Amino acid sequence: MSTVQIDGARFRDRFDAFNEIGATENGGVNRPALSDANRAARDQVVEWFEAADLTVSIDEMGNIFGRREGTQDGPPVLFGSHIDSQYNGGRFDGVVGVLGALEVVEAFNDAGITTDRPLEIAVWSNEEGVRFQPDMLGSGVFCDVFDLEYAYSRTDKDGHTFGDELERIGYKGDRPCEPRELHCYFEMHVEQGPFLEQEGLPLAAVEGVFGFSWMNVSFEGQANHAGPTPMNMRKDAMIGVSDVTRAVRRITATEGTDLVGTVGSVDLWPNAINVIPERAEFTIDLRSYDNSVVETAVQRIQDEIEAAAAREGLAYECEEIMRVDADPFDQGCIETVVEAIESRGYEYTRLVSGAGHDANYLNTICPSSMIFVPSVDGISHRESEFTEWDDILAGTEVLASAVLSKATE
Ligand code: GLV
Ligand code: MN
Ligand code: MN
């Protein structure tokens, strides 16, 4: 397998310059999907793609593609990630995959390599799903999981729709967002969990991604004065939230071995120190690599929501807004990653991802897999997210070798 040289200094300069866009005081970035900072980040990527002689196209979902022709026509080798961030998120999540892909193309340019198959870098819209739910919306439409109108109608907490915001930032492109023939897809990403660091390993070949369920839940009770209202006369929406939050923790301890569950967002009305909460809206995120475990957990949590509402005299609504199945990556692509790691002489393990990734949807339309590099202290979705630069460079070398191998087979 080829061991093309990548230029670590060039990559790092770009990484640092890129992360000045939307930089936060505490060393993170604030570039949620379709924000002004996300637009500036997109503009920067497009400028660098064009400078690297990539032909840029934008599709109807604002997914960005940079294409490099091969000596043959035919389906391209696609690789990339995302550049939208969490609110006050980290600098590495998604960015290493996109700028790493660009560095791979630059390295091929430097070495005068022309591949047989065309290459394309993909930058997917709204991977994070933090401003517009569900997540992985750009790759989801591209892979025919969601239709375009559904995606355009997704609305943030301020009432802005995805479609309007995409237009506002100038990234509603012409290219149809629909499945097309691809030779394969690779994505390099930070692990976002503790395993690689605990094992002292620089790399993982990723075998699949946890399945997951996202739910929006609301409880409706009665506002009243916090002083004179006796405890037995209350209909407190917050009690529903706390009962269900405890139930999520209990269910994760008793259902399957890898089930994780989070109540990550709570809104309360009127949210005042001396008023009994009248309304609560909150989210539940449940994940496991076993789809039947996710299904059972969803059923159990729905029963808990009903029981909590009955105990406190609340009305409730519960909507599952997304279900993604766990689906192992393509064995051939996993082995290509393993061979690429071995050809570079690195140690590695095989891992399943707890975090969601666009590669999961891509794997439904073309053979796909991922490369993980370690996350220091297993921290992600936080400003302090960090990955050692040597590990990012190792991942980029492996990405280069895997892409080259698939582009010449
Ligand atoms: C995406 O970052 C997710 O796993 O929620
Ligand atoms: Mn990510
Ligand atoms: Mn993320």
Side-chain angles (χ1 to χ4, degrees), residues 82 93-94 127-128 189 192 357:
H82 64 94
D93 181 355
E127 190 276 347
E128 295 292 1
H189 205 283
Q192 308 183 275
H357 294 290

Side-chain angles (χ1 to χ4, degrees), residues 34-55:
L34 315 189
S35 60
D36 289 349
N38 182 238
R39 167 173 43 196
R42 287 165 172 269
D43 290 348
Q44 178 63 90
V45 157
V46 168
E47 187 189 316
W48 282 336
F49 279 10
E50 286 172 344
D53 287 331
L54 293 168
T55 306

Side-chain angles (χ1 to χ4, degrees), residues 127-128 135 214 287 355-356 381:
E127 190 276 347
E128 295 292 1
D135 59 357
W214 277 6
R287 309 188 191 207
H381 283 188

